[in-house]
Amino acid sequence: MGSYAKATMTGFICRLCSEYKKSVIHFYSAKAQELELLKKLTLLPITIDKYDNLPKTICQDCIEKLNLQYRLVDRIRKSFEIQQRHRLFHSNGRCPLECPLYGTNSYDSSDTSLQQSE
């Protein structure tokens, strides 16, 4: 018989970071559905197949990073949509009240707060 110390426990390996973790979430569990993990994983250049022989679990650290990435991409998409609508409202170079960016300040090269964050 083999030793438990040398046993590989594939159910506790995170699919993203490949580290052994005590606490993981299975991609096809109710908790994963609640967290929309499979939807968020579509942002990554990997594929998750229910029947492949790779781990189907994700650790909390990777979930947090995935959530950060998802929020960033979602914010970028929403910003892009607003900017596209913004362009539609400008036929005379002025920002009308109906414009989604009406009242926001455009970038001014003299604004030092923007320059400091770069």
Side-chain angles (χ1 to χ4, degrees), residues 14-17 25-27 31-46 48 57-75 77:
C14 175
R15 174 74 168 253
L16 302 186
C17 68
I25 295 177
H26 194 279
F27 290 137
K31 182 68 174 174
Q33 288 177 345
E34 178 185 323
L35 297 172
E36 298 181 315
L37 291 179
L38 290 175
K39 175 183 174 183
K40 294 173 183 175
L41 285 166
T42 61
L43 298 174
L44 302 177
I46 63 170
I48 307 291
T57 54
I58 183 172
C59 69
Q60 190 60 42
D61 291 338
C62 287
I63 290 172
E64 290 172 15
K65 291 173 185 172
L66 186 63
N67 285 334
L68 284 172
Q69 177 186 4
Y70 186 79
R71 285 194 300 267
L72 175 63
V73 169
D74 190 49
R75 184 175 181 181
R77 284 181 183 151

Side-chain angles (χ1 to χ4, degrees), residues 7-15 19-27 53-59:
T8 301
M9 299 172 64
T10 58
F12 295 95
I13 297 175
C14 175
R15 174 74 168 253
E19 292 182 12
Y20 287 100
K21 301 287 181 163
K22 288 185 178 183
S23 177
V24 294
I25 295 177
H26 194 279
F27 290 137
N53 60 354
L54 299 172
K56 306 291 184 295
T57 54
I58 183 172
C59 69

Side-chain angles (χ1 to χ4, degrees), residues 64-102:
E64 290 172 15
K65 291 173 185 172
L66 186 63
N67 285 334
L68 284 172
Q69 177 186 4
Y70 186 79
R71 285 194 300 267
L72 175 63
V73 169
D74 190 49
R75 184 175 181 181
I76 291 168
R77 284 181 183 151
K78 287 177 182 175
S79 176
F80 181 75
E81 289 170 7
I82 288 170
Q83 292 169 11
Q84 292 299 326
R85 288 196 323 262
H86 174 74
R87 292 174 69 202
L88 294 175
F89 284 103
H90 296 273
S91 59
N92 62 0
R94 295 183 183 221
C95 194
L97 290 172
E98 301 83 28
C99 179
L101 293 178
Y102 178 79

